[in-house]
Amino acid sequence: WSVRRAELLELMQGRDSAYVYDAATIRARCASLKSLRSVSRVLYAIKANSNAEVLRQVHGAGIGIECVSRGEADHALRSIRGLAPAEILFTPNFAPRSEYQWALETGLRVTVDNLYVLREWPSLFAAREIFLRVDPGTGRGHHQHVRTGGIHSKFGVPIDQIDEAIRLAGKAGARIVGLHAHVGSGVFDVGSWADTAQQLAALLPKLPHVRAIDVGGGLGVPDRTGKPALDLEQLDARLSDLRQVLGNVELWLEPGRFVVAESGVLLARVTQTKRKGASGYVGVATGMNSLIRPALYGAHHDIHNLTRLDQPPTEVMDVVGPICETGDFLGHDRLLPPTQEGDVLLVATAGAYGAVMSSNYNLRAPAEERMI
Ligand code: LLP
């Protein structure tokens, strides 16, 4: 973003806040995913950022789509010209019966993650091909809220219920053609996806029709300058080691954050500053209504004063929004140059789970999105 500083400041003329996405960064991340030799298909988890222009960039790079609601799938089909329903993997969780029915009739690939749907709604699945989402038993990720394995997580069919799932699918007349698992989000252990693949591969002897194993998303992105990035080559190497075990079964990957996190920044104009004892506050025009990750997960996003990028940072400040909650902060104890009303602050690595999780809380409209 620092090389496009002038453009970003220009874009903020007459605005108080904006999410800005860099198309070239999205294309670069897509290209690195497409270069993984062990992975036959990459799906983009659109929950990370469903901006229509982002979706078109991703699909244009040869990447499919993963959706978790009818709303997401409808939006993807509307936004991307030429998107075939079969390019969408639908991975709902505790969704109503009507959504499964719609997805199957529309031709999406559907993932089942609960025996309930096979037992209670068997007629929906007659003569259908389905994916089975498996809970490998342990979750991983940057915060407890985003770890999706183990009995305390609501996702997936535990390994000890797989036999029953196979029986119920057979009884319903459904064919299990894919296995799926997603253990969590913000994972930096390069072996994680191979571990998942291995656990799913162990089930293959029971599932003669399975043609693909989807090892989920969760690829971590460093939240601050200087932290090492996930080693994609290592990840690829670990997955490639499994090729022999897998035979003709394909490996699929479905990242969200990795595709978009670093493409996006949140820009927000400084409204007021305040001192209270030892604490200093810089207030900006938008806060948790645009970016809830700091409040929800204690997530870190680097913050820079874009207006005064050349000036030395001298003061330690909390960066806060205008929302009436003490949790409304974008960053604590941030070293900034002397900052004034009207300056533009930049919140980095905000392209994933930013705009999509925004709200109108306090009836303050969240930041608008722009692609450059
Ligand atoms: N596949 C499934 C089934 C998922 O549930 C998710 C994310 C992904 C793929 C993509 O995960 P990613 O590659 O983006 O880590 N709001 C949280 C993240 C929640 C992730 C939910 N599921 C955050 O801001 O960190």
Side-chain angles (χ1 to χ4, degrees):
W1 51 263
S2 53
V3 292
R4 303 191 79 169
R5 175 183 175 220
E7 247 175 296
L8 294 174
L9 287 171
E10 171 74 25
L11 190 140
M12 281 296 280
Q13 292 290 332
R15 266 181 228 283
D16 277 340
S17 64
Y19 270 108
V20 188
Y21 309 128
D22 176 54
T25 304
I26 296 175
R27 285 195 295 269
R29 295 300 176 274
C30 290
S32 57
L33 290 166
K34 290 292 285 183
S35 75
L36 300 176
R37 284 161 301 126
S38 57
V39 175
S40 306
R41 189 184 289 245
V42 181
L43 303 161
Y44 168 58
I46 84 165
K47 66 175 81 68
N49 184 328
S50 52
N51 176 273
E53 186 54 36
V54 169
L55 298 187
R56 288 190 278 270
Q57 291 287 342
V58 171
H59 188 250
I63 287 181
I65 299 292
E66 187 256 348
C67 295
V68 293
S69 68
R70 175 170 178 176
E72 281 190 353
D74 269 334
H75 171 68
L77 288 166
R78 269 198 317 271
S79 305
I80 306 169
R81 193 147 26 103
L83 175 68
E87 289 179 83
I88 300 180
L89 180 67
F90 186 52
T91 317
N93 174 250
F94 290 104
R97 177 186 167 123
S98 55
E99 282 200 24
Y100 290 85
Q101 184 165 1
W102 171 82
L104 289 161
E105 283 168 5
T106 309
L108 274 52
R109 294 173 200 265
V110 175
T111 303
V112 163
D113 93 328
N114 187 355
L115 301 188
Y116 185 95
V117 306
L118 294 170
R119 194 187 299 120
E120 303 299 323
W121 313 328
S123 61
L124 284 188
F125 298 97
R128 300 288 189 186
E129 296 193 332
I130 55 169
F131 275 56
L132 189 65
R133 177 168 179 174
V134 177
D135 172 1
T138 35
R140 303 185 201 230
H142 72 80
H143 188 275
Q144 173 144 12
H145 292 353
V146 303
R147 293 179 201 135
T148 48
I151 51 167
H152 297 297
S153 138
K154 69 192 176 107
F155 300 96
V157 176
I159 305 264
D160 63 7
Q161 291 178 18
I162 297 297
D163 288 341
E164 180 64 358
I166 294 170
R167 193 186 70 77
L168 289 170
K171 201 169 157 212
R175 179 175 278 195
I176 299 172
V177 296
L179 289 176
H180 177 283
H182 169 80
V183 297
S185 189
V187 178
F188 284 89
D189 176 354
V190 283
S192 176
W193 296 270
D195 288 351
T196 301
Q198 206 151 25
Q199 280 177 290
L200 298 190
L203 304 172
L204 288 175
K206 298 177 176 186
L207 293 153
H209 302 297
V210 166
R211 298 191 297 267
I213 286 183
D214 182 332
V215 288
L219 285 69
V221 172
D223 60 359
R224 58 196 94 197
T225 327
K227 255 198 182 175
L230 182 70
D231 187 339
L232 271 196
E233 271 179 37
Q234 277 288 327
L235 188 159
D236 199 18
R238 298 285 188 92
L239 283 175
S240 299
D241 289 345
L242 292 173
R243 275 275 38 117
Q244 271 196 325
V245 187
L246 293 170
N248 289 332
V249 174
E250 293 184 352
L251 279 178
W252 296 6
L253 201 60
E254 54 177 47
R257 186 190 316 272
F258 184 85
V259 177
V260 284
E262 290 166 313
S263 78
V265 294
L266 172 63
L267 303 178
R269 198 172 290 285
V270 174
T271 54
Q272 308 178 19
T273 58
K274 179 183 279 185
R275 285 238 153 249
K276 252 176 142 184
S279 299
Y281 296 93
V282 170
V284 288
T286 197
M288 65 191 292
N289 54 325
S290 288
L291 183 65
I292 200 172
R293 302 191 70 254
L296 194 56
Y297 314 116
H300 175 97
H301 288 263
D302 280 348
I303 300 179
H304 305 271
N305 186 327
L306 195 62
T307 308
R308 298 176 201 280
L309 210 50
D310 323 324
Q311 295 178 21
T314 50
E315 50 186 35
V316 176
M317 305 291 272
D318 281 1
V319 178
V320 298
I323 301 298
C324 294
E325 295 237 4
T326 303
D328 179 31
F329 69 94
L330 295 173
H332 285 308
D333 296 335
R334 298 312 176 86
L335 195 54
L336 293 170
T339 293
Q340 291 174 22
E341 178 186 349
D343 287 358
V344 174
L345 297 197
L346 177 148
V347 183
T349 324
Y353 304 106
V356 285
M357 294 177 77
S358 66
S359 73
N360 280 294
Y361 188 34
N362 286 186
L363 295 187
R364 285 195 186 276
E368 283 176 30
E369 301 173 88
R370 289 284 174 275
M371 173 78 79
I372 58 171

